[in-house]
Amino acid sequence: MNTMVKYLSNLIDLSSAANEYISSISKQKTLEKGDVLINQGNKVDSIYFVEEGCMRSFRRDEKGKDHTLCFATKNSLISDFRSLHNSKLSGLTIECLKKANIIQFTSEDFYHALERFPELEFIHRKHLELRVSALEKRILNQLMLPASERYQKFLNNYSEIESIIPNYYIASYLGITQESLSRMRKNSM
């Protein structure tokens, strides 16, 4: 039984047919630090479940500056969902920040599973609602909160990875410079 099936079984009553189907469409992968899962500008056809490790989703602008959208850690789904939904080339790059074990599903298999097993559709909808809520909160925080408060929220949400990822990724996520992040850290000691 893969980790995703175990995770789902803790949330919902997963039928044995759904369990078997998920196992049959999943592909286990191990990624090393620095491996790229999705490249900005490429076609996206898969969704990934992070069993262990840490992934970063970001967009590089025309000046070469990275803008980190999110981090995915244990029991998270990650992909360029906007690209999947709109059948467009990826606007994001997804890279491995810490050695990761992931489960890959083609989007076709994933959405077929949602149609075939209502319990999966339910949990996926709940996941999407939580994701939209988190993204709304993140946007409002970026617009309304000073950098120091955004950093505290980052620490609350990502305490397990704060010490293992480079400062420039954290600064990119917060929308500040590395120097500002260093000053905030120094002042909070």
Side-chain angles (χ1 to χ4, degrees):
M1 181 184 307
N2 69 38
T3 307
M4 184 173 186
V5 170
K6 288 179 190 173
Y7 174 73
L8 291 172
S9 295
N10 287 332
L11 299 175
I12 58 172
D13 187 21
L14 194 62
S15 68
S16 60
N19 181 341
E20 288 174 25
Y21 187 75
I22 291 170
S23 296
S24 75
I25 63 170
S26 61
K27 181 178 176 184
Q28 304 268 164
K29 286 185 164 191
T30 299
L31 300 173
E32 297 297 327
K33 179 180 177 178
D35 286 351
V36 174
L37 199 55
I38 295 174
N39 270 306
Q40 186 174 326
N42 289 354
K43 185 176 190 264
V44 179
D45 65 357
S46 294
I47 296 170
Y48 306 90
F49 178 80
V50 180
E51 292 182 297
E52 290 291 334
C54 180
M55 308 295 293
R56 174 176 84 115
S57 173
F58 69 97
R59 182 176 183 116
R60 184 163 289 137
D61 67 22
E62 55 280 343
K63 294 179 183 175
K65 183 178 178 185
D66 289 358
H67 302 274
T68 300
L69 177 64
C70 69
F71 299 99
T73 56
K74 186 176 183 172
N75 297 330
S76 299
L77 287 176
I78 192 163
S79 189
D80 184 339
F81 294 101
R82 191 175 59 104
S83 175
L84 283 172
H85 179 72
N86 296 320
S87 300
K88 303 278 186 195
L89 295 179
S90 179
L92 300 172
T93 296
I94 298 177
E95 71 175 342
C96 183
L97 298 182
K98 178 184 175 191
K99 184 176 180 175
N101 296 320
I102 62 170
I103 300 173
Q104 177 182 4
F105 302 92
T106 67
S107 56
E108 183 179 329
D109 286 342
F110 184 84
Y111 291 118
H112 182 263
L114 298 182
E115 290 172 11
R116 187 169 168 190
F117 301 101
E119 66 266 33
L120 295 178
E121 192 282 327
F122 171 78
I123 198 70
H124 182 61
R125 183 174 49 81
K126 287 293 183 191
H127 172 264
L128 289 175
E129 289 170 356
L130 290 172
R131 185 173 173 91
V132 168
S133 175
L135 287 171
E136 280 182 4
K137 189 183 300 184
R138 178 158 149 60
I139 291 167
L140 289 172
N141 288 345
Q142 286 292 108
L143 295 171
M144 298 169 51
L145 296 179
S148 58
E149 287 183 46
R150 294 196 312 267
Y151 178 59
Q152 283 306 311
K153 289 189 178 297
F154 170 83
L155 292 175
N156 292 340
N157 292 330
Y158 294 112
S159 60
E160 75 279 6
I161 64 168
E162 188 266 343
S163 63
I164 63 165
I165 59 176
N167 286 347
Y168 51 91
Y169 293 155
I170 297 170
S172 167
Y173 177 82
L174 297 172
I176 60 175
T177 64
Q178 291 180 63
E179 294 78 13
S180 295
L181 178 60
S182 294
R183 274 193 303 277
M184 280 189 299
R185 284 180 163 166
K186 185 179 175 184
N187 291 338
S188 68
M189 291 182 168

